[in-house]
Amino acid sequence: MPIVEEFKKFAVRGNVVDLAVGVVIGAAFGNIVQSLVADVFMPLIGAVTGGLDFSNYFLPLSSKVTADTLAEAKKQGAVLAWGNFLTLCINFTIVAWALFLVVKLMNRLRHDESPKPPTPPRQEELLTEIRDLLKARQS
């Protein structure tokens, strides 16, 4: 039973829970970005470039490959799917940029909250007043 208690302490520790939440949010964020790239950016890039669809661009590495689509070409033999790679690179760039903006925003929010100096205890305030009165009396 000590191992169960030790595991329970480990699993409920704040860092593990934070990590689990981060993984779940990261996966959801990844799906959103994947949709953003596939459904928004790549069609726009395709429209600007005259209807190009990068996801089906590939270079056959075997003479057996005669298909026109990447999915069919992969079934026929080895292919170099450079269009898919390009799409994933764009995806990575968008994710990195979004995370950069989130971290930048969090840093700005953290630094805007300038800590106020702690108020001195009442006895220090009284001693300061007494000092100031004694200085004024001497002058």
Side-chain angles (χ1 to χ4, degrees):
M1 284 308 214
I3 197 160
V4 172
E5 290 298 321
E6 187 177 349
F7 176 75
K8 191 161 63 170
K9 285 181 184 177
F10 169 78
V12 190
R13 190 175 298 155
N15 295 340
V16 175
V17 174
D18 291 344
L19 179 62
V21 169
V23 167
V24 171
I25 289 176
F29 187 69
N31 289 337
I32 290 170
V33 171
Q34 183 179 1
S35 174
L36 181 67
V37 170
D39 301 332
V40 177
F41 287 123
M42 293 313 282
L44 289 174
I45 291 171
V48 169
T49 59
L52 294 178
D53 179 15
F54 292 115
S55 62
N56 275 318
Y57 280 26
F58 62 92
L59 179 65
L61 299 177
S62 169
S63 60
K64 297 177 187 177
V65 178
T66 59
D68 292 334
T69 64
L70 180 61
E72 290 298 318
K74 283 184 175 182
K75 292 177 185 175
Q76 293 177 350
V79 294
L80 182 66
W82 66 271
N84 191 37
F85 178 74
L86 180 63
T87 302
L88 291 175
C89 286
I90 292 170
N91 189 345
F92 171 78
T93 304
I94 292 169
V95 170
W97 182 253
L99 287 177
F100 168 74
L101 293 177
V102 168
V103 169
K104 186 174 181 174
L105 176 68
M106 294 303 290
N107 285 339
R108 183 175 293 154
L109 290 174
R110 187 176 301 141
H111 291 301
D112 283 350
E113 298 174 4
S114 56
K116 296 179 182 177
T119 57
R122 180 72 181 139
Q123 63 190 21
E124 284 186 30
E125 290 177 8
L126 290 173
L127 288 172
T128 303
E129 288 176 17
I130 292 171
R131 181 198 65 202
D132 293 342
L133 286 173
L134 288 173
K135 279 185 183 178
R137 206 180 263 182
Q138 288 178 352
S139 303

